[in-house]
Amino acid sequence: MARYIVLLGPPGAGKGTQAAVISKELDLAHISSGDIFRENLKNETDLGKLAAGYMNQGLLVPDDLTIAMIGDRLKRPDCVKGALLDGFPRTPAQADALAKMLAEFDGRVICVPYIYVPAEVLIERLSGRWSCKQGHVYHEKFNPPQQPGLCDVDGSELYQREDDQPATVERRIKVYFEQTSPLIEYYRAAGLLMEVDGTQPIDSVSEQLLAAIRKVA
Ligand code: AMP
């Protein structure tokens, strides 16, 4: 049976950073809905144009578009044995749709690590965040690159995400608490939630996440 891991947490909790570590360690495909939307935006696809209006305002892209996009992604060969989902699902309707899609190819969610971080910390983290085009993420205070403005991994230039502007950051956090946080209870009730304190150093969070996942994977 194919096994899928859903990484849950507010924007700025470190999902992308941790997903990169976990997917490498466990040799699993890393599916980031935000990265797929940004890729579509960059390539000016129809989906990218539709999603842009929502993303730039810090709102969620509608469920039907998001579910269809992830459904296509999950059909690709690298997801056959399972995958790590980062940023999806973000609503209970998406979580229901995910369970249905996975059941179609004999897969299921085996655990939901939830990285929790208080709201005030999230604002500080998101507004100091810089990334390279390959998705390596830094923070000017908490995780600075060795050379300012350049990625440690590939040397490319770092940029600030459009939706990391202060007003949009606040909206994204509000949207998270209103629309996504119900998933905490959803997955707790299913016995799948594993809580990890995301205010600890990056390496400690990775270790705890990996230890928790390895117990069930
Ligand atoms: P992220 O990189 O995960 O913070 O996502 C960036 C933006 O992409 C979000 O603020 C949403 O506008 C959109 N997005 C990403 N994942 C989803 C999702 N599962 N459902 C709806 N919108 C999403």
Side-chain angles (χ1 to χ4, degrees), residues 11-12 15 32-35 37-38 51 54-56 58-63 66 69-70 86-91 94 129 161 163 172:
K15 293 191 301 299
S32 156
S33 45
D35 283 353
F37 280 131
R38 280 183 287 279
Y54 299 96
M55 293 173 75
N56 292 340
L59 299 173
L60 293 186
V61 178
D63 281 340
T66 306
M69 173 190 85
I70 291 291
D86 155 18
F88 181 93
R90 252 175 161 100
T91 62
Q94 292 182 14
R129 183 160 81 168
R161 272 171 51 170
D163 58 354
R172 285 164 62 209

Side-chain angles (χ1 to χ4, degrees), residues 40-119:
N40 275 276
L41 233 152
K42 195 174 80 189
N43 296 331
E44 298 181 357
T45 65
D46 289 343
L47 176 64
K49 286 177 199 156
L50 275 169
Y54 299 96
M55 293 173 75
N56 292 340
Q57 290 185 68
L59 299 173
L60 293 186
V61 178
D63 281 340
D64 53 347
L65 285 177
T66 306
I67 291 165
M69 173 190 85
I70 291 291
D72 283 347
R73 180 66 187 85
L74 286 171
K75 285 184 196 134
R76 302 234 301 254
D78 61 336
C79 296
V80 168
K81 63 175 180 160
L84 176 68
L85 295 164
D86 155 18
F88 181 93
R90 252 175 161 100
T91 62
Q94 292 182 14
D96 288 340
L98 175 66
K100 273 196 200 128
M101 291 190 287
L102 295 185
E104 273 171 34
F105 36 87
D106 193 28
R108 68 179 179 87
V109 174
I110 57 158
C111 65
V112 179
Y114 163 46
I115 309 176
Y116 60 88
V117 173

